[in-house]
Amino acid sequence: MTSPAPRRSVKRIVLVTVLALFLVILGVVAAILIPILTHSNTGSSGQTIPTSFESESTATGADGRTRAISVATTDGKPADLEALAPGDQVVVSGTGFDAGLGIYVGFCAIPPSPDVKPGPCLGGIPEGAEQGEAAAKEALSSAWITDDWAWRAFATQGYDDATQGSFEVLLTVPKPTVEGLDCTVSRCAISTRSDHTAMKERVQDMLLPFAYGQ
């Protein structure tokens, strides 16, 4: 007769292995979710939103970082943000951002106050961008920039230089309307804002107002 001892030993090894895998998965999930659930607002970016159509802006935020954002044409000239048209391509650049916090870059409604995130927003990320494929092939209407290990594979790109908090993205100007937003009526801006891992965080918000040409 076969002894039951080896069978019990195999079952014990399987159970221990399953438990170990469960604890590892639980640890990874906790490492991702806890920072999202516990993150609180650091404060404002300190930016005074331009009242005119300026192609660059600089501000020192509540975290002591001096952020700069600029918008240029594809040939390097300052973009005329008073007369954009759907299909135009612009290069949005930034420095001084906190690379520990991911950001979305896009075309959004200007919020009523600094403690409200920019939005709703025009455009979107096309299929394939979550693998970084679309970013290499075409200009997007919006971009997701992050160096976070848990999300980097799904973002359009990472920061160009984490120490400097710098980035550069090529965006295509979208059509002026989506459900709930018409940028020919509402005041809109090319904007940066913290991604979903720090939704309440306003310190990364930088905005440059734009308008559609007639």
Side-chain angles (χ1 to χ4, degrees):
M1 294 180 63
T2 303
S3 172
R7 294 180 182 177
R8 288 197 296 268
S9 179
V10 170
K11 289 182 179 179
R12 187 177 297 111
I13 292 172
V14 171
L15 288 173
V16 169
T17 301
V18 171
L19 179 59
L21 287 174
F22 174 76
L23 292 175
V24 169
I25 293 171
L26 185 63
V28 171
V29 171
I32 293 172
L33 291 181
I34 290 175
I36 295 176
L37 297 175
T38 60
H39 189 92
S40 59
N41 186 16
T42 303
S44 168
S45 69
Q47 183 196 28
T48 298
I49 300 173
T51 55
S52 58
F53 299 101
E54 300 178 18
S55 62
E56 59 183 9
S57 180
T58 302
T60 300
D63 59 356
R65 289 178 173 270
T66 298
R67 293 172 175 81
I69 183 174
S70 63
V71 183
T73 60
T74 53
D75 58 4
K77 298 178 181 178
D80 180 6
L81 298 185
E82 189 175 5
L84 295 182
D88 286 349
Q89 292 188 338
V90 294
V91 179
V92 184
S93 303
T95 60
F97 286 75
D98 182 355
L101 296 171
I103 57 172
Y104 296 130
V105 185
F107 301 82
C108 303
I110 296 175
S113 63
D115 59 343
V116 178
K117 72 178 180 180
C121 301
L122 302 173
I125 299 174
E127 183 179 355
E130 64 272 14
Q131 284 85 31
E133 297 171 358
K137 298 176 183 177
E138 60 181 307
L140 313 177
S141 318
S142 62
W144 177 15
I145 301 170
T146 184
D147 283 350
D148 191 313
W149 64 270
W151 303 104
R152 180 65 187 88
F154 302 97
T156 48
Q157 66 187 72
Y159 285 90
D160 295 332
D161 185 322
T163 303
Q164 299 296 322
S166 62
F167 67 87
E168 183 177 287
V169 296
L170 178 63
L171 298 182
T172 295
V173 178
K175 294 180 180 179
T177 59
V178 293
E179 185 176 354
L181 176 63
D182 183 345
C183 282
T184 65
V185 177
S186 301
R187 194 162 176 249
C188 295
I190 295 175
S191 66
T192 63
R193 59 189 175 101
S194 294
D195 67 13
H196 65 280
T197 65
M199 290 186 293
K200 297 179 181 179
E201 182 63 81
R202 305 274 59 87
V203 77
Q204 300 265 68
D205 294 357
M206 294 288 288
L207 299 95
L208 289 173
F210 74 91
Y212 285 89
Q214 300 298 320

